[in-house]
Amino acid sequence: MAVQVERTGMLLIISGPSGTGKGTLVKMLMENDPSFRFSCSVTTRKPRVGEIEGVHYYFVSDEEYEQMVANGEFLEHATVHGHHYGTLRKPVEELMKQGYNVLLDIDPQGAISVMENADDYVSVFILPPSFEDLRVRLHTRNTDDPVEIERRLNNARGEVKKVERYQYALINDNLELAFSQLQHIVNAEKQRTNRYKPVITE
Ligand code: ADP
Ligand code: 5GP
């Protein structure tokens, strides 16, 4: 008897308030798991220092974004903290067809929209240990001005209320522990028989 495996890609949705550590955990996952590809979103937000076009985001104007919405290019799109963001449908579908696991770092509005429309997905909400920690992290990251930070902290209150819509939640207090929990979720989900199909031959 021989056993071979056919794998189907997983759509992994990660959400959480700004500053909770999503980007940090996503980077760690990308560096440690070659089966994943990051879905690079489109945004009308201005690039932060160090952000690279086509790596962190595709940065577009309001007009370009509206055109993309009209063309149906987005799997989901939402206005978050006063800026527009959207997930490109085509690259996600193509990467999944190629058998990759695809990671979406998107807000709860977009996440819930994907959950309502996709047949199969894995959703994880990253919580901060406290709102005070979130405030400290956003200031320490030093990428947004104080007005933008306040806006993000105010939105965080509403965002965390959506945690129950997700299949998994974890608290990013100790980074190593949070990453280990994320890896456990991902590794268990990879072995589900709808994604991991053992083909048994005599
Ligand atoms: P997000 O992508 O959710 O907005 P980031 O990944 O940019 O958040 O993290 C926000 C800031 O918090 C960064 O400066 C990052 O280095 C820091 N950070 C991430 N995880 C932790 C943690 N577990 N403990 C302390 N600081 C953290
Ligand atoms: P930031 O401006 O800090 O990069 O991201 C702000 C928020 O927008 C985060 O909650 C992030 O998850 C979300 N976001 C990033 N890309 C997308 C996207 O394509 N769609 C949606 N709905 N949210 C996104």
Side-chain angles (χ1 to χ4, degrees):
M1 188 194 79
V3 183
Q4 286 181 320
V5 174
E6 285 173 11
R7 285 182 185 273
T8 308
M10 153 192 352
L11 189 61
L12 176 62
I13 305 167
I14 292 192
S15 301
S18 186
T20 200
K22 299 179 300 296
T24 307
L25 289 164
V26 164
K27 188 164 179 281
M28 290 168 86
L29 188 61
M30 291 301 145
E31 285 168 0
N32 282 278
D33 190 334
S35 72
F36 272 93
R37 289 290 179 275
F38 178 66
S39 161
C40 181
S41 292
V42 168
T43 184
T44 60
R45 162 168 87 57
K46 295 283 163 276
R48 295 175 181 142
V49 173
E51 281 186 331
I52 303 162
E53 167 78 18
V55 175
H56 298 94
Y57 284 105
Y58 296 107
F59 297 96
V60 299
S61 64
D62 284 337
E63 294 71 30
E64 287 170 312
Y65 173 85
E66 292 305 336
Q67 192 57 56
M68 294 175 93
V69 173
N71 293 346
E73 289 183 50
F74 294 127
L75 187 64
E76 64 70 37
H77 62 280
T79 304
V80 192
H81 315 313
H83 307 285
H84 303 305
Y85 296 83
T87 302
L88 289 169
R89 184 190 302 279
K90 208 170 156 201
V92 171
E93 287 176 353
E94 280 176 4
L95 286 166
M96 298 232 9
K97 230 179 267 168
Q98 290 165 28
Y100 286 110
N101 297 314
V102 178
L103 196 160
L104 310 183
D105 171 349
I106 59 176
D107 91 305
Q109 303 169 74
I112 290 166
S113 160
V114 174
M115 292 177 203
E116 284 171 352
N117 294 298
D119 296 333
D120 184 44
Y121 58 84
V122 178
S123 58
V124 184
F125 196 93
I126 317 282
L127 287 158
S130 71
F131 283 101
E132 194 42 41
D133 281 279
L134 211 51
R135 181 183 298 279
V136 170
R137 286 181 195 178
L138 284 171
H139 282 284
T140 309
R141 188 171 72 181
N142 201 23
T143 52
D144 301 290
D145 64 45
V147 174
E148 178 77 24
I149 289 180
E150 277 317 303
R151 174 152 60 167
R152 286 168 181 251
L153 286 168
N154 285 333
N155 290 342
R157 312 248 164 212
E159 288 174 334
V160 295
K161 290 194 185 127
K162 305 272 167 55
V163 62
E164 284 171 19
R165 301 290 299 263
Y166 291 72
Q167 295 160 328
Y168 296 94
L170 57 89
I171 300 173
N172 179 21
D173 188 357
N174 177 306
L175 181 61
E176 296 309 319
L177 176 62
F179 181 56
S180 156
Q181 288 172 331
L182 181 61
Q183 280 184 307
H184 280 95
I185 294 166
V186 161
N187 289 336
E189 287 287 343
K190 278 183 187 173
Q191 301 310 119
R192 276 190 187 272
T193 48
N194 61 334
R195 303 192 186 97
Y196 183 90
K197 292 196 190 76
V199 180
I200 300 155
T201 49
E202 287 309 318

